[in-house]
Amino acid sequence: MLRSLVGSEMCIRDRINEVDLHTMVSYDTFHFDDLLQVNAVNLDQLTETYSNTFYGDYMIKWPEYQEIVRHPCGLVMGYVLGKVEGEKQNWHGHVSAVTVAPQFRRIGLGETLMNRLEQTSEIIHNAYFVDLFVRKSNKVAENMYNRLGYTVYRLSLIHISEPTRLLSISYAVFCLKKKK
C-alpha cells in the first residue's frame, strides 16, 4: 500500500503540469471500497469527515449523488456526497460534502463537482434548489459558493457531541434557488 501511494505521489509530481486535468480526469460513482483511498483528501482541517456508516448510507440511498474524481494516475483528487430531501416546493438537493485534495485545489474541481450535483438535482430529481452547510470559519468555501451563485439563507448554530467535549459550531446555510 505504501509503495503504491508513493508511486502515485511521484506520478503526480512528475505529470501534474503535463496534463489538462479537466479533460484527463475521470468522474466515477463513489463506492464503499473507495473509502480506502480518500485519506489524502480527508486529512485536512477544511474537510468534514464522517463515519463509514454515514458514507455507506449515502451510497446505498442516493448513489447518483456520490461521485469521486481521479487523476489519470488513479489518485483520488476529490469527491462529493449529496442527497435529495424535502417535499413539494422544498424538494431539493443537499450537499453533505464536497472536497478536493490540497494539491488539486484552485483549478476548478470543486466547482465542477458542484455543477454535476446541481445537474443531478435538477435533471434526475426535478429539485427546486440545492442547499448546504458551511462552517463560518471556512472563508475559502464561502467565497467559492458565492461565486457559484449561492447566497446565505440563514445562520445556524449546530451542537456536536464528542466523547470529550461539546462543540457549538456556527454554520452558514447556503442556498441556490433554481425554480420559482
Side-chain angles (χ1 to χ4, degrees):
M1 181 71 170
L2 181 60
R3 183 179 208 153
S4 66
L5 288 175
V6 170
S8 295
E9 286 296 324
M10 289 173 61
C11 175
I12 297 304
R13 274 186 257 127
D14 293 343
R15 296 189 49 206
I16 194 165
N17 294 323
E18 296 176 21
V19 295
D20 176 6
L21 292 176
H22 291 288
T23 59
M24 300 294 293
V25 301
S26 62
Y27 293 86
D28 300 308
T29 301
F30 192 166
H31 295 286
F32 198 76
D33 58 348
D34 291 323
L35 288 173
L36 300 172
Q37 301 174 14
V38 297
N39 280 344
V41 179
N42 281 346
L43 296 177
D44 170 70
Q45 74 269 15
L46 297 176
T47 300
E48 295 284 345
T49 57
Y50 305 98
S51 68
N52 287 345
T53 304
F54 181 91
Y55 287 101
D57 191 44
Y58 271 58
M59 291 171 193
I60 291 168
K61 291 180 181 175
W62 305 283
E64 69 278 13
Y65 275 102
Q66 314 334 309
E67 198 162 30
I68 194 165
V69 59
R70 295 181 195 281
H71 187 275
C73 296
L75 189 66
V76 174
M77 300 169 74
Y79 65 86
V80 64
L81 296 176
K83 63 181 179 178
V84 65
E85 61 187 4
E87 49 189 49
K88 298 183 182 175
Q89 273 68 30
N90 285 323
W91 183 247
H92 65 282
H94 175 76
V95 180
S96 296
V98 60
T99 189
V100 174
Q103 67 268 37
F104 299 112
R105 290 187 181 147
R106 302 203 190 297
I107 59 172
L109 289 177
E111 181 176 341
T112 301
L113 287 167
M114 287 297 299
N115 289 335
R116 293 169 70 95
L117 185 136
E118 290 169 12
Q119 289 173 357
T120 299
S121 297
E122 187 173 3
I123 295 168
I124 296 176
H125 293 287
N126 198 28
Y128 283 85
F129 59 93
V130 173
D131 74 353
L132 57 111
F133 291 82
V134 177
R135 285 182 189 231
K136 287 295 293 168
S137 60
N138 191 347
K139 297 300 180 194
V140 173
E142 279 195 20
N143 290 335
M144 180 185 83
Y145 295 120
N146 285 325
R147 277 194 321 276
L148 294 176
Y150 287 75
T151 56
V152 176
Y153 174 70
R154 64 183 158 90
L155 296 178
S156 179
L157 188 62
I158 297 176
H159 301 286
I160 300 171
S161 294
E162 293 182 353
T164 58
R165 60 188 171 155
L166 176 66
L167 297 174
S168 293
I169 301 171
S170 179
Y171 285 86
V173 181
F174 279 78
C175 184
L176 177 65
K177 291 287 184 188
K178 294 298 247 184
K179 299 180 183 179
K180 296 285 183 208

